[in-house]
Amino acid sequence: MIHYKTQQEIEIMQKAGKLVHDTLEKVSLWIKPGIMTAELDAIAEEYIRSHDGIPGFKGYDGFPATLCISVNEEVVHGIPGKRILKEGDIVSIDCGAIVEGYYGDHARTFAVGKIPDAYQHLIEVTEECLYKGIEKAVVGNHLQDIGYVIQTHAESHGFSVIRSLVGHGIGRKLHEDPQVPNYGYSGRGLQLKPGLAIAIEPMINLGTHEIKTLRDGWTVVTVDGKVSAHFEHTLVITENGPLVLTKE
Ligand code: MG
Ligand code: MG
């Protein structure tokens, strides 16, 4: 069941969106060779709590940290810990926070120092996929119009789209209806209406789209060990077009 948001709810979600945006900005300043992923997590938790928020992922289904930090072939849901980032890594950082009972959800993939050109290309195309998807989040379009443009753009560059993880509705719960796949057919699926709040989050792989979960029960990795990138914004569909909430 879809909960369409009122103007009042959208205003609260803007606060949650700004907080996750600002948290990732803050964390991004510390991404460099030699930093431990647990340090990035501590910076994020401190920032969220000192700005009247609650980390949205910590304790969610038992997840132990504020950020999901996924390095190289890790796709999403990586657990921060003693791992030290090194030159040439790419790192996907996903941040959730709750403000006044509503969630914001936002992710970006960063380069650690100098990275191979192919990794840089993957990062750029994945971010482009996100913005192309957002452009389709307008009243009257269909849900799969979003996934269609994401898939088309990624595959036109020779990359692959993960099928078994998708974007989602968002609000009082982190994951609400509907699911927002990063693939699909133009003109299919739910017709988009004002008040629909969704997280669009392309997860794009350099190699195969196939993934698996490690024995820690969380970390999702590519089956072929090739790198993956992830960008995510929370937005709401309005009469005036898509309103991205995870921004300044
Ligand atoms: Mg996320
Ligand atoms: Mg999400």
Side-chain angles (χ1 to χ4, degrees), residues 4-185:
Y4 292 92
K5 273 62 182 182
T6 64
Q7 186 56 36
Q8 192 182 13
E9 289 179 297
I10 291 167
E11 283 166 20
I12 298 171
M13 288 184 72
Q14 278 180 305
K15 295 185 205 174
K18 175 173 167 42
L19 181 54
V20 287
H21 169 273
D22 292 352
T23 303
L24 259 194
E25 276 294 306
K26 173 93 178 164
V27 166
S28 71
L29 303 175
W30 293 85
I31 295 172
K32 52 185 171 246
I35 188 106
M36 192 184 291
T37 57
E39 294 179 84
L40 299 176
D41 192 66
I43 290 162
E45 178 165 5
E46 204 282 320
Y47 191 86
I48 290 170
R49 292 195 192 280
S50 67
H51 289 80
D52 301 322
I54 300 167
F57 299 161
K58 199 164 192 174
Y60 187 90
D61 278 347
F63 189 77
T66 295
L67 299 176
C68 296
I69 302 184
S70 309
V71 184
N72 296 336
E73 80 285 0
E74 297 173 355
V75 178
V76 287
H77 306 162
I79 301 171
K82 291 194 162 63
R83 182 166 187 168
I84 290 172
L85 297 180
K86 60 180 200 314
E87 181 94 14
D89 284 340
I90 65 171
V91 60
S92 299
I93 303 190
D94 196 342
C95 181
I98 309 165
V99 174
E100 296 173 36
Y102 288 81
Y103 280 88
D105 193 4
H106 178 43
R108 288 162 62 187
T109 299
F110 301 91
V112 183
K114 175 105 179 81
I115 59 170
D117 290 346
Y119 294 9
Q120 187 61 42
H121 188 214
L122 175 72
I123 290 173
E124 286 169 11
V125 169
T126 305
E127 187 168 23
E128 288 164 9
C129 283
L130 172 58
Y131 284 99
K132 284 179 182 291
I134 291 170
E135 279 176 24
K136 294 293 175 188
V138 297
V139 173
N141 271 0
H142 291 262
L143 193 65
Q144 289 193 31
D145 293 337
I146 296 169
Y148 173 76
V149 288
I150 291 172
Q151 180 179 16
T152 303
H153 189 61
E155 292 179 353
S156 75
H157 287 274
F159 302 134
S160 69
V161 174
I162 291 171
R163 308 292 201 275
S164 48
L165 295 165
V166 295
H168 49 92
I170 179 167
R172 281 195 171 276
K173 290 197 229 158
L174 177 58
H175 298 121
E176 297 186 354
D177 288 337
Q179 293 199 337
V180 183
N182 297 304
Y183 56 90
Y185 297 95

